[in-house]
Amino acid sequence: MTTRVAPKSKAFSLARYIPALGWIRTYSAETATNDLIAAVIVTIMLIPQSLAYALLAGLPPEAGLYASIVPIILYSVFGTSRSLAVGPVAVVSLMTAAAIGNVTATHDVGYATAALTLAGLSGVILVAMGLLRLGFVANFLSHPVISGFITASGLLIAASQLKHILGVDAKGHTLVELLGSLVSHLTSFNVITLIIGVSATVFLFWVRSGLKPLLIRLGLPGKMADFVTKAGPVLAVVVTTMLVWQLGLDDKGVRIVGAVPQSLPPFTMPDLSLDLLSALFMPALLISIIGFVESISVAQTLAAKKRQRIDPDQELIGLGAANIGASLTGGFPVTGGFSRSVVNFDAGAETPAAGAFTAVGLAVAALFLTPLIFFLPNATLAATIIVAVLSLVDFKTLRHSWAYSKRDFWAVAATMLLTLLFGVEIGVTAGVLLSIMLFLYDTARPHVAEVGLVRGTEHFRNIHRHRVLTDPTVLSLRIDQSLYFANARFLEDYIYDRVIDDKALKHVVLMCSAVNEIDLSALETLEGINTRLKEMGITLSLSEVKGPVMDRLQRGDFLEHLTGAVFLSQFDAFEALVSEQPGLTASAEPAAPSRAARFAGG
Amino acid sequence: MTTRVAPKSKAFSLARYIPALGWIRTYSAETATNDLIAAVIVTIMLIPQSLAYALLAGLPPEAGLYASIVPIILYSVFGTSRSLAVGPVAVVSLMTAAAIGNVTATHDVGYATAALTLAGLSGVILVAMGLLRLGFVANFLSHPVISGFITASGLLIAASQLKHILGVDAKGHTLVELLGSLVSHLTSFNVITLIIGVSATVFLFWVRSGLKPLLIRLGLPGKMADFVTKAGPVLAVVVTTMLVWQLGLDDKGVRIVGAVPQSLPPFTMPDLSLDLLSALFMPALLISIIGFVESISVAQTLAAKKRQRIDPDQELIGLGAANIGASLTGGFPVTGGFSRSVVNFDAGAETPAAGAFTAVGLAVAALFLTPLIFFLPNATLAATIIVAVLSLVDFKTLRHSWAYSKRDFWAVAATMLLTLLFGVEIGVTAGVLLSIMLFLYDTARPHVAEVGLVRGTEHFRNIHRHRVLTDPTVLSLRIDQSLYFANARFLEDYIYDRVIDDKALKHVVLMCSAVNEIDLSALETLEGINTRLKEMGITLSLSEVKGPVMDRLQRGDFLEHLTGAVFLSQFDAFEALVSEQPGLTASAEPAAPSRAARFAGG
């Protein structure tokens, strides 16, 4: 019996579903101190980020704060990562904007309600996936598709923020719509807004690239320099807010955040009308899966550094709880964010308690600090978004995949292009379907090598790569793929094409060392091949059949009808079949094998 | 270089696209005689069958004759099978009835026009698939899905014909609709119709099972007995027609075929309105693929018996031409039928000219014989359909697949059930999607075996199946699947889970003998695994990497970063890594290996 690797079945334990019960028992004052320091750093970074992502999602700024408070606490109870910081993130906020933009246009529902309904639905989907152990579904998002999607989303997000930098109205969910709308409103741009926006953008780019080395040259310790750098957006916020306030720039057309309620997150109820829920289902599913993929990647990267373990199915439950929390407290869809989690980790967070402390910090901000951002210009928030998302843009994968594998290249390129042209939902869906179709296409046309014996050994190699011994009466084919419905007929066609004009042939041997499965369609095809070869006076044999495959074959009567035999090794098969007519002939000298063939044995 | 098996690229030649140019050059008087005899036999069999399938498709009987004349000629020019007989077949006729039933309910178009538009669209789709060499698409219909679909279709067809046997009105495209409609009309059944219908059905079943042995016992030569048996339906037609005519049963409520125009196939034009075409597109695509699969299976079975070759892509063109022909001459969707082709083959047809002769025979029938079927009762036609389709019903696959492979079982069962409950289109679509999803699910959770050295050999085997040598510092994993996006994270999780608590571990070796591909996602995952293992102080090595996989790995920088090495064989890897600390330990004695494990080496 080989071990089929499957999710471990454990007896039910509360600690399994509430991981917090694990770490909380050993929580010490020292750990608390470390968590508290991390929380302070993350809180300072999160204030402008939360406001900005709310803006990106098309929501009032306070929604960003609310979405960062209760969700982070719920995740700290139900999640398995010790370092993940949950809240609004760029790509999910963009997807939220697209989804609620569509649904508010066709349904009688407000933006804020649509957003929290979307979060609630996404939360329920995530929890359901977790309980049903469907975490593996996320695996069907290939790296190229994710990379293409994130890059295109980054460009879309940056484009969507240009209106704030220019101080004009513009909207759209595709690159063409966004740029078209921008151009048509271009004449009404506001000079002062543009100056603030451009200055903030340039400043923030400089903070990212130039400030830290400078600070270190100035003698600041690395950790401190890092902290100051991370606080760059706060500095931009403070300076531009002061400027607008002092110079009365809001009267000169600079759009500002304005009055934000001083309040803890309110209790809110999603709209549970069936019509709205069904309209939001697909977007919620996509947001759930994309959010999960982003979150689990970050969580696993950080966990591996400390030899900690992430349970993907429990992560679904943690993220689901966070989203349900967001839905009930005036938020919008959230997930584990890359930048905030890395900051949290680097700042020394040891347990999810750091997240809970961050939540307290943000609650304090929501209660007391919101009057301070009355004069904060939207252009500054847009600048923080642009600088953050342009770091997501990565065209290297295009070049990389072109060199490595064309199939992967087409998946990246198509996902990127379709996302830019038709929006996030169509882009990512088409990317996933395309990558699955390309994979199926490849498995449907398996690599089949005609093999011969390497002189003086028991090894069989491709006759086109190596100088090998063959016999005109024996055809040995190595099939480099499992046999299943999509390639069964291909094998059939291949064998007939090869066999029909070869009058000397008496035996066909299929070498099955790389055949990990033979499904019912393939079995029936093998039966058909066996029968038809028999009618031509040719026997069919198999060699090197794996244990699990053999187990199955023995359940039916195929082996009884098989005209040849099942040989332990290809060499056994060759010896047994050729012995009838001993004259071996070496095949023609092939071209010199490639370096790889020599290296790995083709 | 291994030979990647791909469609052969040949220089353009007319004979490639018009296979008739090949056989017609050597056509002799003897061949013509054989073809002519076969044509007479097939014609006699086809007359009632064509009328019956027109009835099944919901069309006037003459449509069945028309659909058998021009299409068969066009196929004989463009098709590659020497024995295939093209015309209306049961399952495609049922699908046609469902498609035109739906479309005439929502669009302003008549039954006949909808049917020939469907045929035309299907023809264009088939030709396009042929030119684009998309024949492989049909391979995604697995045998279990086809079997489940055909069985359920057979039951649906039989149920749809019960109304003719009972002489009532009833309609529907699912089993529930059909039976419900039958029950609600049951009170108005016609006794005489029922007697004719049941008698004809019983007679035809007896002809199938009892007549031939009887005739042979009576001294008739086998071939002659076969011919008489095949003519059974004609006998039923003649007898019941005479009865109705002589006894004036049509005045007593027995529904008859009635006036059928005496005419050669008329020239007809499909309705090319975009709205109708888009409504018919999906049904036409499904009909094309199902028809192609049915046809190619028959063609390949017959061709193999004579060592002839079928070109699947050219077959698409042949069938496409036939359907376009049907569309322009008052027909409906056609394909290569099993029973008529087998009869044609058995009767000695040598070339597609037999098909052309059959077309002439049917044209004569359409011109001169239609008055003779005025009194033919619909119940007789229904009986011929019921007897024909019940031979398609096959529940053995359910039992067979349950024993062989659960995945295949669920595909059969779901296809069968969904076809019966929701109709042919939903049934077959869901079946295909389900079988693909189940395949992907399996490849996403590959078989991974922890292996150890079989004492005294260089072979590595599963530690749970065999008594093998392992070393606490070396973990050897054999991956029985190509590595691609859907299983990359699975491997990652598997390795981390296995490694995290094993403090003695220093080396991980991935044995890649069954890895036929590593895509970009898997490569990036391997890079991630390499990095994280490095952080844990563990090296990562590969062994037995195949040539094509190695070629690709060498294009990137993965091998430079690899903390371990790439070993030619797993034995090399084990020797090199263990030598640092020589104490080998035998793993615990496992349970006795199964017969299969002993046989094939697990």
Side-chain angles (χ1 to χ4, degrees):
Chain A
M1 286 280 299
T2 49
T3 41
R4 178 85 189 176
V5 180
K8 280 161 247 65
S9 62
K10 299 173 190 165
F12 179 86
S13 81
L14 202 59
R16 162 159 169 58
Y17 289 100
I18 307 177
L21 296 178
W23 54 262
I24 221 161
R25 259 179 281 150
T26 56
Y27 202 65
S28 67
E30 193 198 330
T31 318
T33 313
N34 289 335
D35 284 348
L36 209 53
I37 293 170
V40 170
I41 294 171
V42 173
T43 303
I44 291 171
M45 178 193 139
L46 279 196
I47 292 173
Q49 201 183 84
S50 303
L51 301 172
Y53 289 151
L55 197 74
L56 171 56
L59 294 166
E62 65 269 24
L65 291 175
Y66 299 160
S68 305
I69 298 173
V70 173
I72 212 171
I73 296 177
L74 286 170
Y75 178 83
S76 72
V77 175
F78 294 103
T80 58
S81 165
R82 301 247 166 148
S83 318
L84 199 70
V86 169
V89 306
V91 173
V92 168
S93 299
L94 175 72
M95 295 178 81
T96 300
I100 64 181
N102 287 336
V103 89
T104 51
T106 54
H107 290 69
D108 181 26
V109 61
Y111 253 67
T113 308
L116 50 91
T117 305
L118 187 64
L121 193 55
S122 168
V124 170
I125 291 172
L126 287 162
V127 170
M129 287 176 69
L131 294 176
L132 296 172
R133 317 200 130 268
L134 292 179
F136 72 90
V137 167
N139 299 344
F140 287 96
L141 273 162
S142 73
H143 293 202
V145 168
I146 296 170
S147 162
F149 177 68
I150 299 277
T151 294
S153 297
L155 291 174
L156 279 182
I157 293 170
S160 76
Q161 297 307 302
L162 287 178
K163 65 178 176 187
H164 296 299
I165 303 283
L166 290 161
V168 301
D169 288 312
K171 55 185 181 178
H173 298 302
T174 72
L175 201 60
V176 176
E177 282 169 18
L178 282 166
L179 296 182
S181 180
L182 264 186
V183 167
S184 71
H185 291 87
L186 210 53
T187 47
S188 64
F189 85 99
N190 181 288
V191 181
I192 305 174
T193 307
L194 185 63
I195 293 172
I196 295 174
V198 170
S199 313
T201 309
V202 170
F203 170 73
L204 290 172
F205 267 120
W206 173 76
V207 164
R208 285 212 162 211
S209 57
L211 181 59
K212 196 176 156 189
L214 182 70
L215 291 174
I216 289 174
R217 263 206 311 281
L218 293 177
L220 228 62
K223 205 137 190 178
M224 194 65 199
D226 217 44
F227 175 65
V228 173
T229 308
K230 289 289 187 310
V234 177
L235 193 63
V237 164
V238 171
V239 170
T240 56
T241 304
M242 298 287 282
L243 275 176
V244 173
W245 176 36
Q246 292 301 320
L247 304 178
L249 297 180
D250 53 322
D251 292 335
K252 293 180 179 142
V254 173
R255 297 190 200 184
I256 56 174
V257 166
V260 175
Q262 275 183 276
S263 153
L264 284 176
F267 176 72
T268 53
M269 272 301 287
D271 180 340
L272 298 179
S273 76
L274 212 63
D275 189 36
L276 181 66
L277 290 179
S278 66
L280 286 175
F281 183 78
M282 272 310 293
L285 182 65
L286 289 175
I287 286 175
S288 302
I289 294 179
I290 297 279
F292 174 60
V293 169
E294 175 162 1
S295 183
I296 195 99
S297 312
V298 182
Q300 279 183 328
T301 306
L302 300 180
K305 295 194 184 196
K306 293 193 174 176
R307 279 207 175 200
Q308 289 164 352
R309 203 179 284 183
I310 299 295
D311 173 350
D313 291 312
Q314 182 61 29
E315 277 303 282
L316 282 165
I317 295 174
L319 291 176
N323 274 291
I324 292 171
S327 161
L328 297 175
T329 56
F332 58 99
V334 295
T335 193
F338 181 73
S339 55
R340 64 179 66 190
S341 300
V342 171
V343 171
N344 195 37
F345 182 87
D346 288 346
E350 290 191 24
T351 74
F357 298 150
T358 304
V360 173
L362 289 170
V364 170
L367 262 183
F368 303 111
L369 302 186
T370 52
L372 300 183
I373 58 169
F374 185 92
F375 288 105
L376 169 59
N378 286 343
T380 306
L381 291 179
T384 66
I385 295 178
I386 289 175
V387 174
V389 296
L390 285 184
S391 70
L392 302 176
V393 173
D394 164 27
F395 290 104
K396 279 199 310 293
T397 307
L398 273 178
R399 205 180 56 237
H400 191 182
S401 61
W402 179 261
Y404 185 74
S405 140
K406 295 294 176 290
R407 194 174 98 198
D408 284 314
F409 172 80
W410 292 118
V412 192
T415 308
M416 220 177 256
L417 213 64
L418 293 171
T419 304
L420 288 175
L421 293 182
F422 300 106
V424 280
E425 289 169 11
I426 291 179
V428 74
T429 310
V432 169
L433 293 180
L434 182 69
S435 55
I436 290 176
M437 279 163 56
L438 290 173
F439 168 73
L440 289 173
Y441 180 80
D442 271 7
T443 62
R445 304 168 154 265
H447 179 245
V448 176
E450 197 171 327
V451 293
L453 180 65
V454 179
R455 201 188 290 269
T457 73
E458 297 190 2
H459 293 299
F460 282 75
R461 296 287 160 84
N462 193 323
I463 62 166
H464 297 291
R465 274 193 183 226
H466 299 270
R467 186 176 171 82
V468 289
L469 299 172
T470 56
D471 182 278
T473 67
V474 180
L475 172 66
S476 302
L477 297 174
R478 192 189 69 213
I479 304 149
D480 285 350
Q481 186 72 252
S482 290
L483 292 175
Y484 80 112
F485 58 89
N487 61 26
R489 194 184 299 279
F490 175 87
L491 178 69
E492 198 174 10
D493 290 345
Y494 182 90
I495 293 180
Y496 295 153
D497 271 7
R498 174 63 185 76
V499 158
I500 270 173
D501 298 322
D502 189 343
K503 304 297 180 199
L505 207 60
K506 289 189 183 159
H507 308 286
V508 172
V509 185
L510 302 180
M511 181 175 168
C512 300
S513 43
V515 175
N516 300 310
E517 195 210 347
I518 294 179
D519 79 353
L520 191 61
S521 302
L523 175 69
E524 289 175 0
T525 301
L526 286 178
E527 282 166 353
I529 293 172
N530 183 52
T531 307
R532 293 186 200 174
L533 289 180
K534 188 177 175 184
E535 287 164 0
M536 302 180 192
I538 300 174
T539 73
L540 177 70
S541 295
L542 307 179
S543 75
E544 308 195 3
V545 180
K546 298 193 174 189
V549 174
M550 199 65 199
D551 286 348
R552 269 205 191 162
L553 290 182
Q554 287 172 329
R555 280 184 229 157
D557 56 3
F558 170 66
L559 296 178
E560 293 158 32
H561 299 150
L562 193 66
T563 47
V566 181
F567 294 97
L568 264 174
S569 74
Q570 177 61 29
F571 184 71
D572 291 352
F574 198 65
E575 264 202 325
L577 299 173
V578 171
S579 64
E580 302 173 7
Q581 181 184 323
L584 289 183
T585 53
S587 69
E589 178 82 54
S594 70
R595 193 184 145 212
R598 266 179 290 129
F599 183 77
Chain B
M1 285 282 297
T2 50
T3 42
R4 178 86 187 174
V5 179
K8 281 160 245 69
S9 63
K10 300 172 190 167
F12 179 85
S13 82
L14 203 58
R16 162 160 167 59
Y17 287 101
I18 308 178
L21 295 179
W23 55 262
I24 220 160
R25 258 179 282 150
T26 57
Y27 202 64
S28 68
E30 194 198 328
T31 318
T33 312
N34 289 337
D35 284 350
L36 209 54
I37 293 170
V40 170
I41 295 172
V42 174
T43 304
I44 292 171
M45 179 193 139
L46 281 195
I47 293 174
Q49 200 182 86
S50 304
L51 301 172
Y53 289 151
L55 196 74
L56 172 54
L59 294 166
E62 65 269 21
L65 291 175
Y66 300 159
S68 305
I69 298 174
V70 173
I72 212 171
I73 296 178
L74 287 170
Y75 179 81
S76 73
V77 175
F78 294 103
T80 59
S81 166
R82 300 245 167 151
S83 320
L84 199 70
V86 169
V89 305
V91 173
V92 168
S93 298
L94 174 73
M95 296 178 80
T96 300
I100 63 181
N102 288 335
V103 90
T104 51
T106 54
H107 290 70
D108 183 26
V109 60
Y111 253 67
T113 308
L116 51 90
T117 305
L118 187 64
L121 193 54
S122 168
V124 170
I125 290 173
L126 286 163
V127 170
M129 286 176 68
L131 294 175
L132 296 172
R133 315 201 132 269
L134 292 179
F136 71 90
V137 167
N139 300 344
F140 287 98
L141 272 161
S142 72
H143 294 204
V145 168
I146 295 170
S147 163
F149 178 68
I150 298 277
T151 293
S153 297
L155 292 173
L156 279 182
I157 293 171
S160 76
Q161 297 307 302
L162 287 178
K163 65 178 175 187
H164 296 300
I165 303 283
L166 290 161
V168 302
D169 288 312
K171 56 186 181 178
H173 298 301
T174 70
L175 202 60
V176 176
E177 282 170 18
L178 282 167
L179 297 182
S181 181
L182 265 187
V183 168
S184 70
H185 291 88
L186 211 52
T187 47
S188 62
F189 86 99
N190 181 286
V191 181
I192 305 173
T193 307
L194 184 63
I195 292 172
I196 295 174
V198 170
S199 312
T201 309
V202 170
F203 170 73
L204 291 172
F205 267 118
W206 174 75
V207 164
R208 286 212 161 211
S209 57
L211 182 59
K212 196 176 158 189
L214 181 70
L215 291 174
I216 290 174
R217 262 206 311 281
L218 293 178
L220 228 63
K223 207 140 192 179
M224 194 65 199
D226 218 45
F227 175 64
V228 174
T229 308
K230 289 289 187 307
V234 177
L235 194 63
V237 164
V238 171
V239 171
T240 55
T241 305
M242 297 288 282
L243 275 176
V244 172
W245 178 34
Q246 291 301 319
L247 304 179
L249 298 180
D250 54 319
D251 292 335
K252 294 179 177 138
V254 173
R255 297 190 198 184
I256 56 174
V257 165
V260 175
Q262 276 182 276
S263 153
L264 284 176
F267 176 71
T268 52
M269 273 300 287
D271 180 340
L272 299 178
S273 75
L274 212 63
D275 189 34
L276 181 66
L277 290 179
S278 66
L280 286 175
F281 182 79
M282 271 311 292
L285 182 65
L286 289 175
I287 286 174
S288 302
I289 294 179
I290 295 280
F292 174 60
V293 169
E294 175 162 2
S295 184
I296 195 106
S297 311
V298 182
Q300 280 182 328
T301 306
L302 300 180
K305 296 195 184 198
K306 293 192 175 179
R307 278 207 176 201
Q308 289 165 352
R309 204 179 283 184
I310 299 295
D311 174 349
D313 291 313
Q314 182 60 29
E315 278 301 283
L316 282 165
I317 294 173
L319 291 175
N323 274 291
I324 292 171
S327 161
L328 297 175
T329 56
F332 59 99
V334 295
T335 193
F338 180 72
S339 55
R340 65 180 64 191
S341 300
V342 171
V343 170
N344 195 37
F345 182 87
D346 288 346
E350 290 192 25
T351 74
F357 297 150
T358 304
V360 173
L362 289 170
V364 170
L367 262 182
F368 303 110
L369 303 185
T370 51
L372 301 182
I373 57 168
F374 184 92
F375 289 105
L376 170 58
N378 286 344
T380 307
L381 292 179
T384 66
I385 296 178
I386 289 176
V387 174
V389 298
L390 285 184
S391 69
L392 302 176
V393 173
D394 165 25
F395 289 104
K396 280 198 309 292
T397 307
L398 274 178
R399 206 181 55 238
H400 192 182
S401 60
W402 178 262
Y404 185 74
S405 139
K406 295 295 175 289
R407 195 176 96 197
D408 284 315
F409 172 80
W410 293 118
V412 192
T415 308
M416 220 177 258
L417 212 64
L418 292 171
T419 304
L420 288 176
L421 293 182
F422 300 106
V424 281
E425 291 170 8
I426 291 178
V428 73
T429 310
V432 168
L433 293 180
L434 182 68
S435 55
I436 291 176
M437 279 163 54
L438 291 173
F439 169 72
L440 290 173
Y441 180 80
D442 271 8
T443 62
R445 303 167 154 264
H447 179 244
V448 177
E450 196 170 329
V451 294
L453 180 65
V454 179
R455 200 187 288 270
T457 74
E458 297 190 1
H459 294 299
F460 281 75
R461 297 287 159 84
N462 192 323
I463 61 166
H464 297 291
R465 274 195 183 225
H466 300 269
R467 186 176 170 81
V468 290
L469 299 172
T470 56
D471 182 277
T473 67
V474 180
L475 171 67
S476 302
L477 297 174
R478 191 189 69 213
I479 304 150
D480 285 350
Q481 187 72 253
S482 290
L483 292 175
Y484 81 111
F485 56 90
N487 61 28
R489 194 184 298 279
F490 175 88
L491 178 69
E492 197 173 10
D493 291 345
Y494 182 92
I495 293 179
Y496 295 153
D497 270 8
R498 174 64 185 76
V499 157
I500 270 173
D501 298 322
D502 189 344
K503 304 298 179 199
L505 207 60
K506 288 189 181 159
H507 310 286
V508 172
V509 185
L510 302 180
M511 181 176 169
C512 299
S513 44
V515 175
N516 300 311
E517 195 210 345
I518 294 179
D519 80 353
L520 191 60
S521 302
L523 176 70
E524 289 175 359
T525 301
L526 286 177
E527 282 167 351
I529 294 172
N530 183 51
T531 308
R532 294 186 198 175
L533 289 179
K534 188 178 177 183
E535 287 164 1
M536 303 179 191
I538 301 174
T539 73
L540 177 70
S541 295
L542 306 178
S543 75
E544 308 195 5
V545 181
K546 297 193 176 190
V549 175
M550 199 66 200
D551 286 349
R552 269 205 191 162
L553 290 182
Q554 287 172 331
R555 280 185 229 156
D557 56 3
F558 170 66
L559 296 178
E560 292 158 30
H561 299 151
L562 193 66
T563 47
V566 181
F567 295 97
L568 263 175
S569 74
Q570 176 61 29
F571 184 72
D572 291 354
F574 199 64
E575 264 201 324
L577 299 173
V578 171
S579 65
E580 300 174 6
Q581 179 183 324
L584 289 183
T585 53
S587 69
E589 177 83 53
S594 70
R595 193 185 144 210
R598 268 179 288 130
F599 183 80

